[in-house]
Amino acid sequence: MAFLLIFNRYMGEQIYIIMVIALAVLAITDLVVGVSNDAVNFLNSAIGSKAISFRTIMIVASLGIAFGAISSSGMMEVARKGIFNPTEFVFAEIMVIFMAVMITDILLLDFFNTLGMPTSTTVSIVFELLGAAVAISLVKIIGVEGTLSDLGNYINTEKATEIIIGILLSVFIAFTIGAIVQFISRVLISFDFKKKPKWIEAIFGGLAITAIIYFILVKGLKSADLFSPAVTDFISNSAELFLLGNLIFWIFMSWAFAVFFKWSIYRVIIVLGTFALAMAFAGNDLVNFIGVPIAALQSFQDWQESGIAAANFNMRGLTTAVRTPTTLLLLSGGIMVVTLWFSSKAKSVVKTSVDLARQDEGEERFQPNFLSRQVVKLSIGAFESFSKIVPPSLKGKIDRQFEVPYNYVPKSKVQDMPAFDMVRAAVNLMVASVLISIATSMKLPLSTTYVTFMVAMGTSLADRAWGAESAVYRVAGVLNVIGGWFFTAFSAFTAAAIIAYILHLGGFVALVVLLIIAASLLLRNYMAHNKKTKEIKAEDSLRRAESSSIQGVIEESADNIANMIRRSNKIYTGAINGLAKHDLEALKKNTKGVSKMSKEIEGLQNNIFYFIKNLDDSSVGGASDFYIKLLGYLQDLVQSQEFISKIGLTHVNNNHRKLKYNQIKELKDLDQNLEALFNKTMDVFHNRSFEHIGTILATQNTYFELVDEKIKKQVARTRTEESSPKNTTLYFSILTESKDIIKVLMNVLELYYTEHDSSVAPAKISKS
């Protein structure tokens, strides 16, 4: 502590120059992690519907961000005086608060981005300011021997309460309104919207575009000097007349677009809505990232001009509004655009939102939990009770509007199909625009992230995207995201308070240490995410069948078998080596590899529906029987590998006795023999040399006899020298499962051998 006091006294007021420089670097970093998180707000509808190409989506969003940054609303009020009363603090304390906020914000947003979970930058910055301000306020109160009731002099508790209420309102209102509007839209338009009369498209287009235009003017350009005061006053004071005029104009224009130009008005809405939300994001949420550093810079300049000591300079200057320099806005907008194009974490966050809202079933990221199951059960019960009240004729008409056209269901799951149609995407953008516009005009602190996400979830529920086979997974996902939002508020408050107190105690040394820790964590997360992304791209995952004939399925599935055999060989050897060395970490890694392979097999099994639909009529019987048998064998192979890995991990994790030398030696011998079998089998499928299968099948008994011989040796050892029941059980289990692995390999080979002889000419088989 003495060292800290001496060093901090030596640094003197130079520490604040370093703080300003550090805050500038943190602002750039915060822009990057902030865009990665908030990209979901304006990209999910366009990406999910595939209404336009990904490149076009990015160009439209980039233009929106650039335009929004230029017309940004200057200094963020909440950073200067919204959460705390700046007049109660001196410059030294304000800088500690701002530094704690920025360090916490970057780490928190990066944590959520790494998980691929969307959260609110507004809520995070507000609760960070609240936490840091409370920590420093308590230090001041304790210093003057005050009471906890004095905290109200330092903190704007009314604003903090308003923010918390805003979170709850965002979740409930956005979800409910989104569901209602989507239900009405689907009942009127149906899934077969392309065949509906043009006047329906025109009315829908008029309503949606009017809402988005009003959103652009009220939310996106509310503080921009692009219109004369007369125009601005007219929009504010005669909103009803302005909206009515826009509605009539855009209904007519939508009809003209559809009739004369043959444009899809839904596509126009999606383009315009994406631009509007991107612009609003840059125009208003930009200050979440640079508002605090600029407030710190303003404070620093005021303090330097005063000539007063940092510990005595009162921060009355923060109570006056100061606009952000245009150069900084342009620079910030540029960083945001570059991040949008190149951030893999932004794509990860968007994928979470799109996957939870997609129309069809598929691989689910979130696992069901008790709460999600109860919510689904209660919802089903409520729906069934409500259905009894609705007249059957009306219920039948409504159900027909929700019937998905046969050609909407993809024949192959690997087809790059939209997650949902353009009607739902347009409703997402329209409802989000309306709600955010209303909230802005009423000065309600609704989070754009919460609104856009919950609207998307509400519309997916109303669109019956959460069916019996996916509801528990989707609800679990939504509950996880919502839980993350409340965790954001709690962790932002707590972490910022702790960091502020550490900075208060440690001064310059604490600042340097915290910055190093923050940089290390960011670098580690970046490298881990980058490594994971590269592994996903590079890994040779099992491929779903697309072929429509028995010959195509045989040819195509050969790659999966070769891949599966290679990975199985590695996993089996890893399990034996891990047991031989009693290496717990190696066995854990091995178990993860088996688990991943098991999920891939499960994915192939879930694809059977699409596989059968894709088959030619002449191939249905043979190809489906072949493919179902093959998946069964692969499942057996994975289960055997899973069992060996699990019992080995459990044995070592429980600190049971190591296997004896003879046991390890025999298992190594078995591993070498199985490796030879694995390699021969892999070569057959990799090179499509199915004519060599007969030679391998002829060696089946040799491998069985090898395992039987080792079983007999262990029986003899058990009778004479073996003293560990756990070792005996483990050893016999490995041998038994090894024998099952051999059986599976032979069954797979026999299956291909039979089909190859009966339906595929050897001369026509070649490596693709």
Side-chain angles (χ1 to χ4, degrees), residues 165 189 193 455 466 547 578 625 735 747 762:
I165 293 172
I189 299 173
F193 58 90
V455 165
W466 298 357
S547 298
D625 184 58
L735 293 179
N747 286 337

Side-chain angles (χ1 to χ4, degrees), residues 85 154 194 217 255 332 335 393 423 446 466 497 631 644 721:
N85 301 319
Y154 300 90
K194 293 180 181 179
L217 296 176
W255 179 80
S332 301
I335 294 171
S393 58
V423 173
L446 294 184
W466 298 357
L631 291 184
I644 291 174
E721 60 188 69

Side-chain angles (χ1 to χ4, degrees), residues 525-598:
N525 287 346
Y526 172 78
M527 293 178 68
H529 187 269
N530 211 30
K531 181 181 178 182
K532 185 178 179 181
T533 303
K534 287 180 179 178
E535 286 176 353
I536 291 172
K537 289 181 179 178
E539 70 185 8
D540 194 12
S541 298
L542 303 183
R543 192 161 55 96
R544 290 168 173 171
E546 297 179 71
S547 298
S548 57
S549 64
I550 179 66
Q551 293 90 346
V553 172
I554 291 173
E555 172 74 15
E556 192 177 71
S557 58
D559 286 327
N560 276 347
I561 300 301
N563 182 2
M564 190 82 172
I565 298 302
R566 175 183 57 78
R567 291 164 67 181
S568 294
N569 185 16
K570 182 180 177 182
I571 288 168
Y572 186 86
T573 301
I576 300 302
N577 288 339
L579 275 172
K581 298 175 182 177
H582 226 61
D583 189 337
L584 182 62
E585 292 304 316
L587 290 169
K588 284 181 179 179
K589 185 177 180 181
N590 211 53
T591 303
K592 288 180 181 178
V594 181
S595 178
K596 184 180 181 303
M597 200 159 60
S598 178

Side-chain angles (χ1 to χ4, degrees), residues 240-303:
E240 295 82 1
L241 184 60
F242 174 77
L243 288 172
L244 180 61
N246 262 275
L247 179 61
I248 295 171
F249 174 76
W250 286 113
I251 287 176
F252 173 76
M253 290 302 297
S254 298
W255 179 80
F257 289 154
V259 174
F260 297 109
F261 298 100
K262 306 299 180 184
W263 290 358
S264 169
I265 198 62
Y266 304 106
R267 188 171 283 112
V268 174
I269 294 167
I270 291 167
V271 171
L272 186 61
T274 300
F275 173 84
L277 285 176
M279 186 189 67
F281 156 70
N284 297 276
D285 290 357
L286 171 62
V287 287
N288 290 347
F289 316 128
I290 66 172
V292 168
I294 291 175
L297 178 62
Q298 176 200 346
S299 304
F300 178 77
Q301 291 169 342
D302 291 346
W303 166 69

Side-chain angles (χ1 to χ4, degrees), residues 474-656:
R474 306 289 175 86
V475 172
V478 173
L479 292 175
N480 270 277
V481 172
I482 294 174
W485 295 345
F486 288 97
F487 174 75
T488 298
F490 173 77
S491 56
F493 179 92
T494 306
I498 293 172
I499 290 175
Y501 186 65
I502 291 172
L503 286 171
H504 169 74
L505 290 179
F508 180 76
V509 174
L511 173 63
V512 172
V513 171
L514 286 170
L515 288 175
I516 291 173
I517 292 172
S520 302
L521 289 173
L522 288 173
L523 182 62
R524 190 192 69 173
N525 287 346
Y526 172 78
M527 293 178 68
H529 187 269
N530 211 30
K531 181 181 178 182
K532 185 178 179 181
T533 303
K534 287 180 179 178
E535 286 176 353
I536 291 172
K537 289 181 179 178
E539 70 185 8
D540 194 12
S541 298
L542 303 183
R543 192 161 55 96
R544 290 168 173 171
E546 297 179 71
S547 298
S548 57
S549 64
I550 179 66
Q551 293 90 346
V553 172
I554 291 173
E555 172 74 15
E556 192 177 71
S557 58
D559 286 327
N560 276 347
I561 300 301
N563 182 2
M564 190 82 172
I565 298 302
R566 175 183 57 78
R567 291 164 67 181
S568 294
N569 185 16
K570 182 180 177 182
I571 288 168
Y572 186 86
T573 301
I576 300 302
N577 288 339
L579 275 172
K581 298 175 182 177
H582 226 61
D583 189 337
L584 182 62
E585 292 304 316
L587 290 169
K588 284 181 179 179
K589 185 177 180 181
N590 211 53
T591 303
K592 288 180 181 178
V594 181
S595 178
K596 184 180 181 303
M597 200 159 60
S598 178
K599 287 180 180 178
E600 290 180 26
I601 295 296
E602 186 179 340
L604 295 181
Q605 290 174 327
N606 291 336
N607 189 56
I608 287 178
F609 168 79
Y610 300 97
F611 167 74
I612 293 174
K613 286 182 71 69
N614 191 45
L615 290 173
D616 295 334
D617 292 339
S618 59
S619 302
V620 172
S624 58
D625 184 58
F626 171 84
Y627 195 63
I628 291 169
K629 281 183 180 178
L630 176 63
L631 291 184
Y633 292 145
L634 294 182
Q635 184 67 49
D636 291 341
L637 177 61
V638 170
Q639 285 176 350
S640 293
Q641 296 277 21
E642 210 163 15
F643 185 76
I644 291 174
S645 296
K646 183 180 177 181
I647 59 172
L649 176 63
T650 302
H651 187 88
V652 174
N653 200 27
N654 289 341
N655 296 306
H656 295 316

